[in-house]
Amino acid sequence: EELMEGLQPHEEESESEEEGPPRPKPATLLAPAAAPAAVPAAAEPTRDSDSDSEKEEEPEGMFYEAAGKEGAYIYRQPEESEQLRLGSVARGSKIRGFPRDDIPGWCELAVGGDAWMRIETPEEAAERLKAPAPAKEEKVENEEDSEDDAPATYLGPLAEQRLRVLVQTRTPLSLVRRWMRNCTGGVTAEDVQQVQEVEDLRVRLVLQEIVREQLGDAGFEELYAEATAIAERRKQRLSKA
């Protein structure tokens, strides 16, 4: 028996079995569960998500129309200087931007980055809207006499726009859906025709589906056929010209 007991210490090597529970000592084994790198990956899809929280976070901005004889210049800073010009947009172009109370007469474009455009002040817009609409001849004369870099005219907030304006300004789809829920003027054939001209296939299909959900299949197909006819008539006019 003493000999057997002398052999027992060899079993102490099995302490590795007792060391089993402490093996998770290295804290690094638990780190992957809280790895911060996974957070950005999860946030990626929310850019195109339709969640209510994402919709509420998306600022609507205001909408404007380039009114200068040469359109509207885009500036690097809210300062009217040729050295700060980044480019321009054509006359009649629709623009979405964010006016600033601390910088009246300017708005930061929704395209992102440092891009600014001159706009009407609220007082100027109110004065213009009070004036009677000019006759056709007078309107043409006013356009010819307009400044090269006249401030962009105020078109109003999101809810007051037509769908075609939202499409032209590349308004985020989440805002288009919000507009669709709150709009009062509905969707017209001209709106659908503008949707047809969207170059990005994915965006065009999503826009068409949004309109279809609002109007139903029959209503959408009716407007789609009318929009196609409008596009065809325009094409014929251009070919004759």
Side-chain angles (χ1 to χ4, degrees):
E1 292 179 0
E2 292 178 357
L3 290 175
M4 293 299 292
E5 290 177 359
L7 295 175
Q8 292 302 320
H10 293 289
E11 296 183 359
E12 292 179 359
E13 295 178 359
S14 63
E15 286 180 359
S16 60
E17 297 178 0
E18 296 178 0
E19 294 176 358
R23 269 187 186 175
K25 281 181 182 179
T28 54
L29 294 178
L30 299 177
V39 177
E44 197 76 35
T46 63
R47 294 177 183 175
D48 295 325
S49 71
D50 300 331
S51 65
D52 292 335
S53 60
E54 188 271 339
K55 291 175 183 176
E56 294 305 323
E57 291 175 0
E58 184 69 51
E60 295 182 1
M62 295 294 177
F63 292 79
Y64 303 89
E65 180 177 352
K69 185 184 298 184
E70 301 298 329
Y73 289 110
I74 308 302
Y75 296 87
R76 188 181 298 108
Q77 298 175 9
E79 180 181 343
E80 196 172 359
S81 170
E82 290 187 12
Q83 288 73 24
L84 296 176
R85 288 178 183 174
L86 295 173
S88 63
V89 294
R91 179 184 178 86
S93 298
K94 308 300 188 296
I95 305 102
R96 174 172 161 259
F98 306 105
R100 293 268 298 271
D101 293 336
D102 58 333
I103 312 178
W106 290 88
C107 78
E108 188 172 12
L109 303 190
V111 295
D114 293 325
W116 298 79
M117 180 182 66
R118 290 180 60 219
I119 59 173
E120 289 181 319
T121 63
E123 294 76 18
E124 291 171 339
E127 190 66 27
R128 176 178 56 80
L129 293 174
K130 285 181 182 178
K136 185 176 181 180
E137 296 79 7
E138 185 179 351
K139 183 177 180 181
V140 172
E141 183 178 347
N142 291 340
E143 290 178 354
E144 292 177 350
D145 295 338
S146 63
E147 303 174 33
D148 290 345
D149 188 24
T153 54
Y154 174 68
L155 297 179
L158 176 72
E160 296 179 6
Q161 306 311 308
R162 307 297 311 185
L163 177 60
R164 54 184 174 272
V165 173
L166 306 188
V167 173
Q168 290 171 351
T169 55
R170 299 187 179 184
T171 300
L173 293 175
S174 60
L175 290 183
V176 175
R177 291 188 175 91
R178 187 190 303 176
W179 174 88
M180 193 68 75
R181 294 197 307 269
N182 303 321
C183 70
T184 56
V187 179
T188 66
E190 289 77 9
D191 295 326
V192 175
Q193 194 268 327
Q194 188 68 50
V195 170
Q196 290 177 335
E197 296 183 0
V198 175
E199 295 181 359
D200 189 309
L201 177 60
R202 185 189 71 84
V203 174
R204 183 168 70 248
L205 293 177
V206 172
L207 287 170
Q208 289 178 351
E209 188 60 28
I210 292 174
V211 176
R212 186 185 293 274
E213 291 174 358
Q214 179 76 6
L215 303 177
D217 291 339
F220 175 80
E221 294 300 334
E222 180 179 350
L223 283 186
Y224 190 88
E226 188 176 345
T228 302
I230 292 174
E232 185 60 31
R233 289 195 296 269
R234 180 180 298 175
K235 184 177 179 181
Q236 291 176 359
R237 287 197 302 270
L238 292 175
S239 62
K240 291 179 182 179

